[in-house]
């Protein structure tokens, strides 16, 4: 009982109490007592205050500058996009004028097959029955299931986004099914067209596309749609739909219109002009001073000129990255 009473009455140990009394005798304040110490302390506080103040001011001044630079950059990008769109519209208007002038020249000419050739090669607009194939990105990444994966060999990732190889397979399937002309999102495909990827974007003739991807093809609509679903292109779309959830729908259309390709010119070869025949004044005559008449050399036979104009159109060498053409 006496121990408990001692603990209750004297909770602080004697050694701690002695140390506390010694500190009280020296003074509780740890501030310097000399004038030099106080001066050094004041200078230190002033320096720390200055550093904090300058940092705060610089931060407040840098924030508006960064915001202004960002706004200026965004404005420049928007202006550049508007200028590019205006130039693109001007190019399309000029191209339409050239196409109208060419159409008038073709109508006034004797050879109407040139217009059909332009439509077939992609340098002219074409319309008729056909099919419409729409390919869309998956709502989410597919699970794959037990279906074989045809994209593993080409280094595709496990994503439900349409890749450039998917569009190449689809376009090749349309050509294989008998399509006479094909366009992707309004971009006409020719013998010089290529479907490539730049990062996550798909480019057709260096023009980026935005999903969904709409493929239009000219041909016998129902027969073309059936042939596409039964060949390698339709089977490939079915596989990636089961594996990745990429959706595709094909439907026959009574009439579709495909625009002319941009940046492609149709070059046509004309007949070779015949060589001028010598006139009567240029015919050789015998000289009077010669004892015998001088015979003229036999004329050089001329090469036969073609009876019909031959036409040539540019063809591209397949590189393995572009779309196939019939």
């Amino acid at each position: 009982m006496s121990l408990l009473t001692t603990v209750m009455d004297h909770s602080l140990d004697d050694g701690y109490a002695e140390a506390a009394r010694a500190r009280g005798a020296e003074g509780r304040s740890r501030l310097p007592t000399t004038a030099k110490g106080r001066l050094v302390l004041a200078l230190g506080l002033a320096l720390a205050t200055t550093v904090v103040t300058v940092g705060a001011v610089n931060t407040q001044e840098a924030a508006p500058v960064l915001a202004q630079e960002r706004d200026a950059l965004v404005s420049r990008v928007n202006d550049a996009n508007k200028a590019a769109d205006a130039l693109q519209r001007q190019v399309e208007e000029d191209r339409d004028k050239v196409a109208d002038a060419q159409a008038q020249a073709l109508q006034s000419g004797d050879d109407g097959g040139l217009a059909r050739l332009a439509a077939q090669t992609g340098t002219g607009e074409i319309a008729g029955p056909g099919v419409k194939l729409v390919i869309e990105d998956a709502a989410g990444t597919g699970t794959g299931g037990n279906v074989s994966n045809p994209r593993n060999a080409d280094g595709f990732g496990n994503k439900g986004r349409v890749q450039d190889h998917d569009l190449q397979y689809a376009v090749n399937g349309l050509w294989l099914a008998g399509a006479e002309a094909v366009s992707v999102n309004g971009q006409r495909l020719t013998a010089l067209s290529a479907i490539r990827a730049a990062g996550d974007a798909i480019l057709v003739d260096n023009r980026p596309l935005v999903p969904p991807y709409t493929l239009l093809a000219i041909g016998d609509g129902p027969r073309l749609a059936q042939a596409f679903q039964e060949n390698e292109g339709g089977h490939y779309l079915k596989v990636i739909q089961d594996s990745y959830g990429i959706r595709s729908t094909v439907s026959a259309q009574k009439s579709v219109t495909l625009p002319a390709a941009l940046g492609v010119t149709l070059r046509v070869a004309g007949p070779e002009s015949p060589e001028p025949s010598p006139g009567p004044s240029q015919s050789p005559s015998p000289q009077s001073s010669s004892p015998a008449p001088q015979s003229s050399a036999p004329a050089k036979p001329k090469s036969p000129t073609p009876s019909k104009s031959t036409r040539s159109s540019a063809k591209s060498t397949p590189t393995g990255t572009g779309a196939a053409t019939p």
Side-chain angles (χ1 to χ4, degrees):
M1 245 350 243
S2 59
L3 180 59
L4 293 177
T5 303
T6 303
V7 171
M8 294 296 293
D9 294 340
H10 305 282
S11 57
L12 187 60
D13 188 77
D14 295 338
Y16 288 105
E18 185 65 25
R21 284 194 297 270
R23 284 199 303 271
E26 295 177 358
R28 295 181 176 274
S29 178
R30 295 185 179 181
L31 296 177
T33 56
T34 63
K36 183 178 180 180
R38 292 177 180 178
L39 180 59
V40 172
L41 179 61
L43 291 176
L45 293 176
L47 180 60
T49 305
T50 303
V51 171
V52 173
T53 304
V54 171
V57 171
N58 291 337
T59 303
Q60 292 179 357
E61 291 179 354
V65 172
L66 294 177
Q68 292 176 0
E69 292 179 353
R70 180 182 178 279
D71 295 340
L73 181 60
V74 171
S75 178
R76 288 176 56 188
V77 171
N78 292 334
D79 293 341
N81 290 335
K82 291 179 181 179
D85 294 340
L87 291 176
Q88 182 66 26
R89 287 193 297 267
Q90 183 65 33
V91 169
E92 293 176 357
E93 292 176 0
D94 294 341
R95 202 174 296 277
D96 292 340
K97 294 179 181 179
V98 172
D100 294 340
Q102 185 178 9
Q104 294 177 1
L106 291 175
Q107 291 176 0
S108 61
D110 297 334
D111 191 0
L114 187 58
R116 293 191 298 271
L117 181 62
Q120 293 173 358
T121 56
T123 59
E125 184 179 291
I126 186 173
V131 298
K132 179 181 180 181
L133 174 62
V134 180
I135 305 176
E136 302 182 59
D137 293 337
T141 303
T143 56
N146 296 324
V147 183
S148 61
N149 185 355
R151 302 202 294 178
N152 280 341
D154 295 330
F156 284 94
N158 187 18
K159 298 185 296 184
R161 299 188 61 181
V162 179
Q163 306 289 338
D164 57 335
H165 285 63
D166 302 334
L167 290 185
Q168 290 178 14
Y169 276 110
V171 170
N172 290 337
L174 290 174
W175 290 127
L176 183 61
E180 300 176 9
V182 180
S183 69
V184 182
N185 282 22
Q187 299 293 332
R188 181 75 175 274
L189 300 181
T190 66
L192 303 177
S193 297
I195 301 177
R196 296 185 176 91
D200 291 335
I202 299 178
L203 306 181
V204 172
D205 292 338
N206 294 326
R207 291 177 175 84
L209 304 182
V210 178
Y213 305 98
T214 302
L215 285 72
L216 299 178
I218 297 292
D220 187 354
R223 186 176 301 176
L224 182 60
Q226 182 68 23
F228 173 76
Q229 291 177 346
E230 293 177 355
N231 65 18
E232 287 82 355
H235 294 166
Y236 180 84
L237 293 183
K238 182 66 169 59
V239 169
I240 63 176
Q241 181 175 358
D242 295 338
S243 301
Y244 298 94
I246 296 176
R247 299 160 291 175
S248 60
T249 57
V250 58
S251 59
Q253 304 291 321
K254 294 182 179 180
S255 178
V256 294
T257 301
L258 277 62
L262 301 178
V264 181
T265 303
L266 179 63
R267 295 186 294 272
V268 180
E272 182 182 0
S273 60
E275 298 179 359
S277 58
S281 61
Q282 299 177 356
S283 61
S285 60
Q287 299 179 359
S288 58
S289 60
S290 301
Q294 187 178 7
S295 61
S296 61
K300 183 179 180 180
K302 301 178 183 178
S303 59
T305 58
S307 58
K308 295 183 180 180
S309 62
T310 57
R311 302 181 179 90
S312 62
S313 60
K315 292 185 179 181
S316 64
T317 303
T319 60
T321 56
T325 54

